[in-house]
Each structure stands twice: as C-alpha cells, then as structure tokens.
Amino acid sequence: MAGKETQPSLLQPSLLQGFPDRAPVTGPRLAAENPVARVVLESSLPHLDRPFDYSVPAELAESAVPGVRVKVKFNGQELNGYVIERRESSDAAHPLTTLHKVVSPVAVLTPAIAELAGSIAARYSGTLSDVLRTAVPPRVAKVEKELLSGDLLLEHATPDGVLDAHAWGMYSNGAPFVHHLAGGGSPKAVLTALQGYGSDGWPALVASAVAAVRSSGRGAVVVVPDYRDLDQLEAALSKVLAPSDIARLTADDGQTPRYRNFLRLLSGAAGVAIGTRSAAYAPVRDLGLVVCWDDGDDLHIEQRAPYAHTREVLLLRAEQENAACLMASHSRSTELQRLVEMQWAVPIEAPRTVVRSTVPRVLNTADSFEQERDPLARIARLPGAAWRAAKEGLERGPVLVQVARAGYAPSLVCEACRELARCSACQGPLAVSSNSALPACRWCSSPAPQWRCNHCSGTKLRRGAAGVMRTAEELGRAFPGKAVVTSSGEHIKATVPDSAALVVATVGAEPVAPHGYSAAVLLDGNSLLRRENLRAGEDTVRRWFNAAALVRPARQGGLVVITADDTAATGALLRWDAPGYASRELALRKELQLPPAVRVASVTGSRADVVHFSDALEATIHVPSGSKLRSAGPAPVQLFGSASQDSPGDTEPDVRTLYFIPYGDAAEATRAMRAVKAASAAKRISGPVQLRLDGVDVL
C-alpha cells in the first residue's frame, strides 16, 4: 500500500480508505533518478489534504516533473492531481503505487504558487486542493498543443515602462514610492485616490506604478473587482507598456483566452498580470509589485471554499516573494487602516489643499441650514437641494443619481399597518417589476392578486421602497425632455457620454463619464446605513466615495448631494476624510474586540454537528495565550428562502457558532480547526460543517 502522508498524527487504522491502492510487490521499471513523486490530489475531502507518495515509472521519468498535472489510482478510483516534488526515496514502509498518467507535460504549478496556496489554505483552514482550483485555470488541450507545436508564439516583451510620476506628485509620499519601485525596492503603501476618471484617475496611478516596477526588470500583478475596472486599467496600461507585456486573467473572457494568457505569464512572455480574483495567483516571473484596487468590494471574496479574500492573498504573496505592495481605493477599509497603524504600510494621501482643489463640493440635505430652507427634506424622496443640483448639473453635462435598490418596487408594505407584504405560499417578500405589473413573490415568483395582510387583514398595498427603474421613471417626469439612462442588475453600463443626461445607477454600478459628472445625487443613504451589518457604515462610505470620485472638481462646478441623516459617515464625505473615518471605526472595533481587531471564524451546520465540532476544537486547541477562545452561539441562522415558514417542522434550522480569535492565537486556532474538520470527515462521526474565516457577512 502506498501513501506516505505528511501528518502521521492523523493516521489511524480506521482511515485506511483514505490511502492509495496497494501496489503489487513486483512492478514496472522505475525512473533511475528520483523515482518517488509526491502528489497533491484534486479532492476537497479534508482528510486527504496532504501529499501522497507514488513511484515514477521509467517511461514517465522525463515528463513527471514538479508542477505537472497527473492521474493516479486512489482507493479504486482515478483521481487528478499535481506533482509537487520528486525525491530519491519515500518514508513509507511498503511498496508504492506507480503514477498512472501524466496529463500534460506543461508544469502549470510553480513552486512559489504552491507555497502561496499552502499558506492560504492554512490561513483559512481550508484544503490545498480548493485553493489550487482557483489558482490554476482549467486545462485547454488545444492551447497546450499550440504551445508544444510552436504555433503559439510567445515573444518575450521588453520589461520597459514609460515612467511618469506626474499623477503621483499630488500625493504625499507618492513620488518617492514610485521612484523606490523604479530603483528595485519593495515598499508597502496604502493609497487613497481622489479621482476615478481622467489622466489623474486611479487607473493612471496604478499604470504608472506598474511601469515603474517594469522599468526595474520585475513583474507585477494587479487585481480589480470586475470587468469594468479591468477595462479601464488595461486602457491605462496600454499607454505606458507594450500590449504584448499585459495578460488578462478573468473568467469573463472565456477559458481559452484565459488559459492562453496564463501560459504567456508562465513562460515569461508577459510580465504584467491583470484581472479579477484568480489573477492574484498569476505565475508572474520575478514578481516586484502586487496591487489590489478597492479591497472593500465583496467581489474580491472567493465564492467557493475556503472563501479567501484577494487582499489577504496579495499581502501573503508580497511577504513570501519580497515584492512591493500597493493597496489602493477612494476610501479606506478598516483592514488597511490597521496595516497603516501597525506601520506595515505607508499612507499615500493628498494634502488638504490638493483635496480642496480636486474634489467636488459636498452638501447634505439633513444639515440645519438645508432643513430651514426645506423642512420636508427628511421625508422627501428627492429634496429640493437635490432637485436643484440635478437641474443645474444637466446644463453642464451628465448627472449621476445613485440608488440603493434594483428593480421597480423591490418591496411592498400593507397600506394600513405598514408591515412587509409577504407571499402566502412561501412567505417571501412581494414586489412589482413595473408600473402595470401585478404583485409577485421575489422568491417563488407566484403572483398575489388577492393578497391579504396577516397582521391587520388589510388588502391594499403600497411601495415600501423605490428601485432604480421607479426612480428613473419619476426623474423622467420631473425633467421632461432629458435623457434618462439606467445601470443596474444585468444591464450595467461601463461608460456614458459627456452629453446631458440623468444616469440612474444602483450602488456599485455607476458608469464612468470621460470628463466626469457635473453633479451627483446620492439617494437612500439612510437605507444603506441602517442595514444590520457590522460594516454597514464602512461599506456605505466606500460606495459614496466611489460615486463622488466620478464628479468634477468644485472649481468646475462639481457638486455631490447626500440625502442621509447627519452621522459620522456623512461627515466623512463632507470633509472628504476617508482615513479619518477608517481610524474612528477601527478604534471602536478594537474597543469592542470585533474584526479586524481580531479574526472571526464561523461554524455553520446542524446543531449536533456544530456542537460536536466545538467540543472537539476545545479538546484539541492549545493557543499561545493560554486563554479560551471567545465564542458566541450556537444560534439559529435565518436562511431566508431556504424553506417555507408556514411549515417550520419540516427541517431543523441550521445554527452558527462564532469564534473571535486574537491574531497571536490565530495560527494555532486555524491549525486546530483544520485538524478537527479533517478528523471528523475521516471518522465520519458527524456531518459536515461550513467553516469560514473572516467572513464579512457573519456580523
């Protein structure tokens, strides 16, 4: 029987089903040098998350090199895997099974990426296989044939960039940062960018930083949230680098272009990788810089286990490969503020004089002056100040209107008691998709023509909230003859022309105007701030700054109007002080010992499984501080839409336990959680649980 595992302490007689098939005593002739290959299996089973030893037959001696994809026999099955090492001997005291097949001679898993994937798996208590699923794109045999036959031309671009630090000159520490990159240094910085468009916008800043590091002969990785940011970044990079030196890595382009660009980076034909989440693992040679734009966007969080965040991947990679690191955004997350206060990163911010001359004027309809002028401003959908800003802005160019919700009327309430209207079939919320549509359930799509309130037996409905389509309809009537453009849901626009138009967009879907918006109206601010989430204020500030950064400077008539109560969040935008707000939030989190002052782990599953996991963890963990981990739960998880609320006895609701982990204890805690999950899966003594580290939606 083969299979020397890296964690002998987990080996138990009852776990023999988790090892490769037993090999015969006699077998094929083996490789003359390093006849043992260590293989990581493509399996999400936690107890198989370790390398296994296989013998290398002579016919595969040349092709079974570290990094190649292979097929192996394991427990009567044929599984895929990666060779991570060739060695002279194995510690296993039994014959080894031979490698079954080398799928491709292309070594797609580099040692650096294998090490990074192992670090990510350890940090998030996940499996190495799950991380590699994201790091290495699916194989496209056609592209590999082109590579091996020579049809895929891999011309190596000259690592030169047009170094222009002009845009960085308006920021304190900006120009020294770029010159440090050009000189071969590895500085770490957090950038608070002022503009989202034009020659001084964030794409130009990132492009000049990448050009600087390329001028030193090193490579770069830049990760952005979505395709719209990616298109802007690529356009900016094309002005300072040769197009052949840039490789896009995003699933939106399709598997073939993505894999072709992956091979270009792997071979060294391209030195700059740009893309979405998975680009953080791009195999760039001689890495000199990693960049993450807008780390607060939840699109940076991998949607599959182990749910790693791009920011953490790039931070670990910068440390591992001694590369420079740039975290940039219009606002600042509390995680980045923590890095600044730890002095791990240098803040790059504009002086107040530059801020005042660069950003638009910001006005809040809830302040005392506006309240005296318009007493109904607090309850009006479009207060007078917002209407005037839109009217005057349309005379100079496009006007942005940001709303919180998509659709027409995403929620309905009873006209009599104002209780949320719910579907009689599944208890889902009712909504209407247009002015003439019948109310229907957002979960099961069942129409509700004869609805009756469960609280007061009322039969009349009214809109509880207006979506982007309803807002666009109202604005079209308020400004007759003016064009109205919407951007939301599946119909998001990347750019809009500079002509006069009302651009109504949901948060995060704001298009870019080439020369900036003349004005912006930020509606539904209170709805965003009152969400039941620890990060509601921080996320709202980020969305406001992202929209306001698209508006022209105040000296050109740029104006931003917020319709929200006077809070610390609105004050941050009024003063244009994102770092100050992040510092205040982080201080509060430290006082309450909440993320990111500590790490948080959530364990979700049936009550019996969660309790078993917690008991096993308590018996296993030995944190350096010697104290017991602070926990909360188990408490029921409200899985809206997962089951009918009129039949609660059909299924037992899942529960969740939260663990709050000091950073000093995090390494031991994540190791123990990983070991408990692996042991439970191997012994099959309890059902599976979902283990997530640093989830942004659990608090």
Side-chain angles (χ1 to χ4, degrees):
M1 181 178 65
K4 173 258 178 184
E5 81 269 48
T6 59
Q7 300 177 12
S9 61
L10 296 180
L11 176 60
Q12 300 180 18
S14 61
L15 307 186
L16 295 182
Q17 74 274 12
F19 291 88
D21 295 334
R22 183 180 296 274
V25 175
T26 60
R29 187 168 60 89
L30 302 181
E33 295 183 4
N34 296 325
V36 177
R38 310 205 76 195
V39 177
V40 172
L41 302 178
E42 286 189 5
S43 172
S44 59
L45 297 176
H47 59 291
L48 301 185
D49 184 32
R50 55 188 186 272
F52 292 95
D53 288 354
Y54 285 85
S55 59
V56 182
E59 61 269 19
L60 300 181
E62 298 297 326
S63 58
V65 297
V68 300
R69 292 181 168 103
V70 294
K71 287 185 178 292
V72 297
K73 296 291 186 179
F74 190 93
N75 197 29
Q77 305 178 54
E78 189 176 277
L79 298 181
N80 295 319
Y82 296 93
V83 176
I84 60 170
E85 183 186 0
R86 286 279 296 273
R87 51 170 51 186
E88 188 64 33
S89 61
S90 170
D91 296 337
H94 42 68
L96 302 179
T97 303
T98 58
L99 287 178
H100 180 60
K101 180 182 179 182
V102 173
V103 176
S104 167
V106 181
V108 293
L109 181 60
T110 65
I113 298 304
E115 181 184 352
L116 175 64
S119 299
I120 295 299
R123 178 175 180 82
Y124 286 92
S125 295
T127 65
L128 179 60
S129 176
D130 284 341
V131 180
L132 293 179
R133 178 182 57 196
T134 301
V136 182
R139 177 176 180 252
V140 179
K142 174 185 175 182
V143 177
E144 287 190 352
K145 289 180 180 178
E146 294 175 0
L147 174 67
L148 298 175
S149 65
D151 294 336
L152 180 61
L153 298 179
L154 298 177
E155 299 180 0
H156 289 242
T158 304
D160 291 330
V162 180
L163 180 57
D164 181 9
H166 168 73
W168 288 87
M170 60 193 295
Y171 296 90
S172 299
N173 300 323
F177 173 79
V178 175
H179 291 302
H180 197 180
L181 288 176
S186 300
K188 276 74 173 177
V190 172
L191 167 67
T192 306
L194 294 180
Q195 290 186 331
Y197 67 95
S199 59
D200 294 333
W202 71 264
L205 291 169
V206 173
S208 59
V210 172
V213 80
R214 287 301 282 156
S215 69
S216 70
R218 298 174 294 166
V221 171
V222 186
V223 185
V224 296
D226 60 25
Y227 74 93
R228 295 177 300 144
D229 296 322
L230 184 58
D231 290 342
Q232 292 186 69
L233 176 64
E234 185 175 24
L237 283 171
S238 298
K239 297 178 181 179
V240 296
L241 295 175
S244 59
D245 198 27
I246 305 168
R248 285 172 56 115
L249 292 179
T250 174
D252 293 332
D253 290 345
Q255 288 191 4
T256 299
R258 179 187 175 193
Y259 195 58
R260 182 176 288 114
N261 285 333
F262 177 84
L263 294 182
R264 289 177 57 220
L265 292 165
L266 188 67
S267 66
V272 178
I274 61 174
T276 48
R277 289 188 302 261
S278 61
Y281 302 92
V284 174
R285 293 189 177 183
D286 193 14
L287 183 65
L289 173 67
V290 296
V291 182
C292 179
W293 168 251
D294 197 10
D295 70 297
D297 196 317
D298 57 10
L299 291 177
H300 279 301
I301 304 173
E302 181 59 43
Q303 300 303 301
R304 299 178 295 182
Y307 313 103
H309 195 294
T310 298
R311 176 188 58 243
E312 306 304 320
V313 175
L314 293 179
L315 290 175
L316 283 172
R317 189 169 186 184
E319 286 291 310
Q320 174 185 303
E321 301 190 40
N322 192 28
C325 178
L326 175 62
M327 296 285 158
S329 59
H330 291 306
S331 60
R332 182 179 293 177
S333 67
T334 49
E335 285 80 5
L336 295 189
Q337 181 63 26
R338 176 175 172 270
L339 295 180
V340 170
E341 294 185 5
M342 290 172 55
Q343 298 184 349
W344 185 90
V346 175
I348 299 180
E349 306 166 7
R352 296 308 301 175
T353 54
V354 175
V355 171
R356 286 192 290 269
S357 65
T358 306
V359 304
R361 184 167 69 94
V362 182
L363 180 137
N364 184 12
T365 60
D367 65 25
S368 58
F369 177 76
E370 291 296 330
Q371 286 293 306
E372 289 182 4
R373 297 181 64 186
D374 185 4
L376 300 179
R378 286 185 179 272
I379 60 175
R381 169 70 172 163
L382 191 69
W387 185 87
R388 290 190 297 271
K391 182 177 181 297
E392 296 171 2
L394 286 171
E395 299 175 358
R396 303 187 304 272
V399 174
L400 174 65
V401 180
Q402 184 192 70
V403 297
R405 302 175 182 86
Y408 187 81
S411 68
L412 300 176
V413 297
C414 175
E415 189 176 72
C417 67
R418 299 297 194 269
E419 286 290 336
L420 185 66
R422 292 193 171 275
C423 173
S424 59
C426 71
Q427 297 300 306
L430 297 184
V432 292
S433 58
S434 68
N435 190 31
S436 59
L438 289 174
C441 178
R442 281 166 41 197
W443 291 354
C444 67
S445 300
S446 299
Q450 303 296 329
W451 176 84
R452 182 176 294 275
C453 179
N454 293 330
H455 296 270
C456 69
S457 299
T459 58
K460 293 184 178 181
L461 292 167
R462 64 174 292 159
R463 289 186 298 273
V468 64
M469 302 307 295
R470 173 64 180 175
T471 304
E473 182 181 281
E474 293 174 346
L475 290 174
R477 290 197 295 263
F479 298 94
K482 299 297 183 181
V484 179
V485 180
T486 60
S487 177
S488 67
E490 298 179 357
H491 304 283
I492 296 178
K493 293 177 174 58
T495 60
V496 292
D498 284 325
S499 57
L502 288 161
V503 181
V504 187
T506 51
V507 287
E510 302 88 355
V512 176
H515 295 91
Y517 290 97
S518 59
V521 178
L522 311 181
L523 302 178
D524 305 327
N526 288 332
S527 298
L528 294 172
L529 290 171
R530 291 170 183 170
R531 288 174 299 153
E532 295 182 359
N533 187 281
L534 175 67
R535 299 174 183 266
E538 178 184 345
D539 189 56
T540 301
V541 168
R542 182 186 69 83
R543 295 178 185 274
W544 283 347
F545 271 94
N546 285 353
L550 301 177
V551 181
R552 301 167 188 168
R555 67 176 185 272
Q556 298 178 13
L559 175 64
V560 175
V561 179
I562 323 173
T563 60
D565 292 341
D566 195 5
T567 62
T570 55
L573 186 58
L574 288 168
R575 298 187 306 274
W576 207 277
D577 185 20
Y581 181 82
S583 177
R584 176 183 180 275
E585 277 291 300
L586 182 60
L588 291 174
R589 308 273 184 87
K590 287 181 177 179
E591 182 178 350
L592 299 173
Q593 284 298 286
L594 293 173
V598 295
R599 298 191 66 189
V600 61
S602 64
V603 183
T604 307
S606 68
R607 182 173 293 274
D609 296 333
V610 170
V611 170
H612 175 270
F613 183 94
S614 300
D615 292 342
L617 178 63
E618 187 174 349
T620 304
I621 192 170
H622 300 286
V623 296
S625 65
S627 59
K628 184 178 179 181
L629 291 183
R630 182 165 60 98
S631 64
V637 179
Q638 299 296 330
L639 298 177
F640 294 112
S642 62
S644 297
Q645 294 189 6
D646 57 351
S647 55
D650 292 349
T651 58
E652 181 183 358
D654 284 347
V655 300
R656 173 179 293 161
T657 293
L658 300 179
Y659 291 95
F660 300 91
I661 311 169
Y663 283 93
D665 297 337
E668 169 61 19
T670 54
R671 183 209 62 79
M673 291 177 179
R674 198 177 182 188
V676 169
K677 192 173 181 181
S680 298
K683 297 176 183 178
R684 300 180 182 178
I685 56 178
S686 66
V689 296
Q690 182 197 58
L691 176 60
R692 291 183 61 191
L693 272 295
D694 303 323
V696 298
D697 59 344
V698 299
L699 289 173

